[in-house]
Amino acid sequence: MFDFTFENYNDAVANWDLARSNYSDIQSLISPQLVFTILPDQIAWLNAEDESVDYFRMDIGIWKNKLILILAPRASDSAVMVLTNYEFATLGVLENDLQLTQTKTYTMTSNYTLTKDLRKSTNDTDINFPIMDQPVTGQQIAVGEIESWRENGMDWLSLESNEFNGERIFKSFYVPKADLLQNQETATSIVCAFGLKPSPVYQRLLPTLIFISCFENPSLVNVNAKVPSNTYDWSKPEPPYNISTLG
């Protein structure tokens, strides 16, 4: 990949900031079935560069007429670091169906398949002996949030753009490091899909980023491997969140 400089980064972020208030521009950039695909090497780069404690920051931008997700390392004072190059992922078509897996902490392993256009396809459940790992976000919830974005995401964007001038549409997402760094040693890629989830704090639907680790061998996500899930959706959008409100 060519260098994506600090100037490119600023231009891309500014372009998205302008587009948020124009729904026709948004329609040309976003379709509800499109996803970002991030490579483990990019996550490793972000982790090595980032000096913040708990959350990675990922910014939305427009580059060469495409929506992109920019990995934005932060200094210890939470400011985005000025670097010679940044990593990013472009919103695009999902090339293969996805299997979302979660091993529950007491009795069962559930498997869902999302088709390439983000429709729920099949699911099955296997009963297993209990394990001691702590629970993570249920993939049933993640599938529902992805489906909500697929069915309602464009209506949400239209309402926010036309009624609120785009001011409440996401510019960045804060992603818990502990979630994103799980399972990446053996992952071949990380698919990042938009979702919509209800917020009891803000009393409205908020977008989220749902990260799905992909493996060459899906059996890596099972009881024996003690990888309880390959799906995480704890990201928080800015707005309404900002670094001072994260806890």
Side-chain angles (χ1 to χ4, degrees):
M1 184 181 291
F2 59 86
D3 285 346
F4 186 75
T5 66
F6 185 64
E7 182 180 0
N8 298 149
Y9 162 77
N10 282 327
D11 287 345
V13 169
N15 289 338
W16 172 240
D17 200 36
L18 288 173
R20 293 186 306 147
S21 61
N22 189 328
Y23 182 61
S24 63
D25 286 347
I26 294 173
Q27 284 180 300
S28 71
L29 295 163
I30 299 177
S31 294
Q33 75 277 14
L34 301 182
V35 300
F36 301 105
T37 300
I38 305 172
L39 299 177
D41 286 350
Q42 292 178 303
I43 300 299
W45 172 85
L46 177 60
N47 190 42
E49 295 287 347
D50 196 274
E51 296 177 358
S52 59
V53 177
D54 296 318
Y55 288 87
F56 290 127
R57 173 171 159 170
M58 298 186 180
D59 291 336
I60 301 295
I62 300 173
W63 181 246
K64 297 187 175 180
N65 299 315
K66 299 286 186 180
L67 197 77
I68 61 173
L69 183 67
I70 309 167
L71 282 57
R74 293 182 295 139
S76 56
D77 64 358
S78 296
V80 174
M81 300 176 74
V82 179
L83 303 174
T84 57
N85 184 52
Y86 296 82
E87 295 287 337
F88 68 90
T90 302
L91 192 67
V93 176
L94 183 63
E95 295 184 357
N96 300 292
D97 292 352
L98 289 175
Q99 180 168 293
L100 278 62
T101 296
Q102 178 191 28
T103 299
K104 294 187 178 179
T105 54
Y106 39 90
T107 55
M108 67 183 67
T109 297
S110 301
N111 295 287
Y112 280 84
T113 296
L114 283 178
T115 63
K116 290 183 285 185
D117 60 353
L118 299 185
R119 295 181 185 276
K120 183 171 64 177
S121 177
T122 59
N123 67 281
D124 62 80
T125 300
D126 296 323
I127 304 300
N128 294 291
F129 290 108
I131 60 172
M132 298 302 294
D133 298 89
Q134 294 297 312
V136 294
T137 303
Q139 98 295 54
Q140 297 98 328
I141 297 173
V143 168
E145 291 169 356
I146 292 171
E147 288 183 325
S148 179
W149 175 263
R150 193 184 189 286
E151 297 300 322
N152 306 303
M154 299 310 295
D155 289 337
W156 183 89
L157 288 165
S158 174
L159 173 69
E160 292 292 333
S161 181
N162 294 323
E163 297 295 326
F164 299 97
N165 203 35
E167 292 180 0
R168 305 196 311 184
I169 295 177
F170 48 81
K171 296 190 292 183
S172 304
F173 288 88
Y174 290 98
V175 184
K177 290 186 174 185
D179 287 334
L180 192 56
L181 294 176
Q182 290 190 67
N183 298 347
Q184 306 314 351
E185 297 86 354
T186 53
T188 56
S189 62
I190 301 97
V191 170
C192 177
F194 285 111
L196 275 179
K197 63 192 307 179
S199 168
V201 175
Y202 292 97
Q203 296 294 303
R204 66 178 191 265
L205 286 173
L206 293 180
T208 184
L209 292 181
I210 297 169
F211 295 86
I212 305 162
S213 300
C214 302
F215 302 90
E216 277 190 26
N217 182 3
S219 67
L220 288 172
V221 186
N222 61 26
V223 171
N224 295 326
K226 291 187 179 294
V227 179
S229 179
N230 68 335
T231 311
Y232 314 99
D233 76 338
W234 291 115
S235 68
K236 296 183 178 182
E238 179 186 355
Y241 295 95
N242 59 57
I243 196 59
S244 65
T245 63
L246 296 178

